[in-house]
Amino acid sequence: MDTILSKRLQMVADFIPKKSKLLDVGSDHAYLPIALVEAGHIDAAIAGEVVKGPFESAQKNIAASGLDQQIEARLASGLAATTLEDGITAISICGMGGRLIAEILEAGKDKLEAVETLTLQPNNREDDLRRWLRDNDFRIQAEQILEENGKYYEIIQAVHGSAFLSALDCRFGPFLLKEKSPIFIAKWQRELDKLQYALSCVPEDNQLDRSAISQKIKTIEEMIS
């Protein structure tokens, strides 16, 4: 039986290179690796979980899928779920804050040299993650943004290599900023509305906070115009 992924995870799946050996960190019950192997998109995977409950759920789901010869669940933190001998060529980390994803990558930097592709889906602080990629010689080669159940998600694919990213690139995404899709505009319009409301709540005599918020508003307005 084919596993049905959410819209968000299906878009992540589309970013995983074919024939990869995948490490899926924080594997959300192993749904992503199971769907990818079932579809013949990848050959093998490790589903990493740091919490016992989701780890046991991943084990059960893998066994129920009949794919326990191709997918293994491991209880470990971040990239500690793999060793160089596993031959991992792609890593996915989804559904966490951008700062936490950056910390996971930083803690496991020694595992990244042989990895060809990172597919990352931060729930927030995308700018922190993009800065980490830039500062650690990973080049963003593709991005996508989607809306699901009233929430906006960004997906970032990165490979080894250096590339200049400005502060605006880090905040808005170099590819997303260039495309300025309707979903991108909608996300930042929502953020703009929040900032305008926040500004209305700051007393007129608090010029320091008003100035900081006003600058953020101006930047977003310029980006989505």
Side-chain angles (χ1 to χ4, degrees), residues 96-106 120 122-136 138 140 143 154 156 165-174 187-188:
M96 307 178 197
R99 184 172 294 175
L100 177 56
I101 294 176
E103 290 172 355
I104 289 170
L105 294 171
E106 178 67 27
L120 312 169
N123 284 348
N124 54 49
R125 301 311 300 257
E126 296 89 354
D127 52 342
D128 285 338
L129 179 54
R130 289 189 181 99
R131 277 192 290 271
W132 188 92
L133 293 170
R134 177 196 65 191
D135 296 344
N136 288 274
F138 277 91
I140 297 173
E143 293 178 308
E154 297 180 13
I156 302 167
L165 286 181
S166 67
L168 290 177
D169 289 332
C170 288
R171 186 175 186 196
F172 295 96
K187 171 186 175 173
W188 288 104

Side-chain angles (χ1 to χ4, degrees), residues 165-211:
L165 286 181
S166 67
L168 290 177
D169 289 332
C170 288
R171 186 175 186 196
F172 295 96
F175 290 90
L176 301 180
L177 187 56
K178 184 176 181 179
E179 183 181 359
K180 292 187 179 179
S181 69
I183 298 175
F184 174 89
I185 299 296
K187 171 186 175 173
W188 288 104
Q189 184 61 57
R190 178 186 288 183
E191 184 64 22
L192 185 61
D193 293 343
K194 290 178 181 178
L195 288 169
Q196 289 170 333
Y197 175 74
L199 182 63
S200 72
C201 297
V202 178
E204 289 289 343
D205 59 356
N206 189 344
Q207 287 301 308
L208 188 62
D209 285 349
R210 289 186 64 84
S211 176

Side-chain angles (χ1 to χ4, degrees), residues 79-80 84 91 102-115 132 135-138 160:
L79 305 194
L84 295 178
I91 292 174
E103 290 172 355
I104 289 170
L105 294 171
E106 178 67 27
K109 273 204 297 189
D110 58 320
K111 309 283 183 70
L112 294 177
E113 186 174 343
V115 173
W132 188 92
D135 296 344
N136 288 274
D137 292 326
F138 277 91
H160 291 283

Side-chain angles (χ1 to χ4, degrees), residues 22-28 32-33 46-50 76-82 90-96 101 104-105 119-120:
L22 177 70
L23 169 63
D24 186 37
V25 176
S27 194
D28 191 21
L32 179 63
I46 295 169
E49 280 287 1
V50 70
S77 176
L79 305 194
T82 186
I91 292 174
S92 55
I93 311 178
C94 307
M96 307 178 197
I101 294 176
I104 289 170
L105 294 171
T119 301
L120 312 169

